[in-house]
Amino acid sequence: MIVPGSASQSLAAALADELDRALAPVEFERFPDGELLAAAPEVETDSAVIVASTITSDAHLELLQLQDALRESGVSEVTTVLPYMGYARQDSAFEPGQPVSVRAVARAVSTGTDRVLTVSPHEESALEHFSVPARAIDGAGVLADPLPDLSDPVFLSPDAGAIDLAETVRESYGEGEVDYFEKTRRSGSEVEITPSDVVVEDRDVVIVDDIIATGSTMSGAIATLEDPQRVFVTCVHPMLAANARTKLARAGVEQVYGTDTIERAESEVSVARPLAEALRSL
Ligand code: R5P
């Protein structure tokens, strides 16, 4: 049985379809004091898969509640799918006294599950913080699917760390050059991007990243491009927080694409199939 978190209802339904499993009825309520209640009534199964992107603190709480409710209903095997794992970018105490948030949430999630499956975590090292078996799949494999026909394409990643994603998209698309920018982060919403060497004049450019959060990285990268034909941006996790869409539109982006690890209007492609394959092989 597939049990959706409130932020992953479409993906959970697509996954239930792929796996030919039932979709659990879930209920989400909020009490007058602001506290949440996520419940999974009528679940009668030995094995359940919770699909819950932890895109907010509330979504984290809901996940812990669903895990608890399933255990309480007698489900003996609980798999937790985190299509997007929140708090994973705080993977170090960057200043004295700061938490390693990724570790804190991984520990909490581990208490109510037998295993974890996630999609393109910020760093693979996030998996080490779970005390149950944890695995990640690469969400970039589906990112080429919605791209239009491109003219002499260049696939760029905004930093060296995302070059594998750009290569994966280029590989799936079937042609094009791959390069990357150098990025220095100045603050949570400010980045400095050094241009890539590749000549983009009159060519279609696709910039590929794991996540678009504030849009600063993407818009900073686009500003360095000299006379491209069209610019597309694509990412696994289309967080698109605050004024990210405005930044991208002002930067001249033709189209933004993302997957349904975070359900947005830009979620043009689903990770349901690769997730289903991974779940079948567990
Ligand atoms: C950073 O290492 C990530 O790969 C992304 O480039 C970054 O988190 C995107 O954030 P923003 O959209 O806020 O620049």
Side-chain angles (χ1 to χ4, degrees):
M1 184 163 255
I2 306 292
V3 182
S6 67
S8 300
Q9 297 180 55
S10 300
L11 175 55
L15 193 56
D17 225 39
E18 284 287 338
L19 292 169
D20 200 18
R21 296 226 208 150
L23 193 59
V26 282
E27 291 170 4
F28 303 102
E29 281 179 55
R30 190 178 289 277
F31 292 107
D33 62 1
E35 289 190 353
L36 294 164
L37 185 66
E42 301 163 39
V43 171
E44 285 176 21
T45 176
D46 283 342
S47 150
V49 178
I50 304 176
V51 183
S53 280
T54 48
I55 58 170
T56 59
S57 306
D58 282 357
H60 272 101
L61 239 300
E62 277 178 13
L63 170 60
L64 300 182
Q65 290 179 327
L66 288 173
Q67 289 177 330
D68 188 72
L70 292 177
R71 290 282 198 226
E72 196 60 25
S73 315
V75 178
S76 54
E77 197 184 326
V78 176
T79 299
T80 298
V81 176
L82 299 171
Y84 171 72
M85 181 182 176
Y87 285 92
R89 288 186 291 166
Q90 177 74 19
D91 55 3
S92 221
F94 298 105
E95 306 272 347
Q98 286 189 352
V100 178
S101 304
V102 64
R103 180 176 60 208
V105 299
R107 283 177 178 165
V109 168
S110 299
T111 59
T113 195
D114 296 290
R115 65 188 67 82
V116 172
L117 181 61
T118 189
V119 182
S120 304
H122 180 61
E123 294 287 348
E124 201 84 5
S125 59
L127 303 176
E128 294 162 15
H129 298 299
F130 292 97
S131 58
V132 292
R135 210 184 125 182
I137 64 158
D138 182 6
V142 297
L143 288 179
D145 297 0
L147 292 176
D149 284 342
L150 300 169
S151 161
D152 194 12
V154 187
F155 296 88
L156 293 172
S157 66
D159 55 39
I163 186 81
D164 289 355
L165 300 177
E167 271 165 358
T168 300
V169 178
R170 184 243 164 264
E171 194 91 337
S172 318
Y173 184 76
E175 59 162 311
E177 206 173 337
V178 178
D179 201 359
Y180 63 90
F181 302 88
E182 299 284 351
K183 177 170 91 173
T184 311
R185 185 167 281 283
R186 299 280 174 224
S187 72
S189 60
E190 280 175 65
V191 290
E192 189 179 302
I193 307 272
T194 310
S196 102
D197 293 334
V198 75
V199 176
V200 299
E201 192 178 342
D202 295 330
R203 304 174 73 180
D204 281 338
V205 175
V206 181
I207 311 183
V208 186
D209 207 351
D210 58 337
I211 179 170
I212 304 175
T214 65
S216 303
T217 300
M218 285 294 192
S219 51
I222 294 163
T224 71
L225 299 174
E226 287 191 18
D227 302 319
Q229 191 170 119
R230 295 177 296 175
V231 179
F232 301 91
V233 298
T234 187
C235 66
V236 177
H237 308 299
M239 175 63 77
L240 298 165
N243 59 349
R245 290 182 178 88
T246 305
K247 277 188 197 163
L248 296 174
R250 283 173 56 82
V253 168
E254 186 88 11
Q255 182 94 40
V256 181
Y257 301 104
T259 80
D260 53 0
T261 60
I262 299 180
E263 297 183 358
R264 303 282 194 238
E266 293 80 359
S267 302
E268 292 269 349
V269 65
S270 180
V271 292
R273 187 159 297 168
L275 273 178
E277 278 165 20
L279 285 166
R280 280 192 208 101
S281 70
L282 285 178

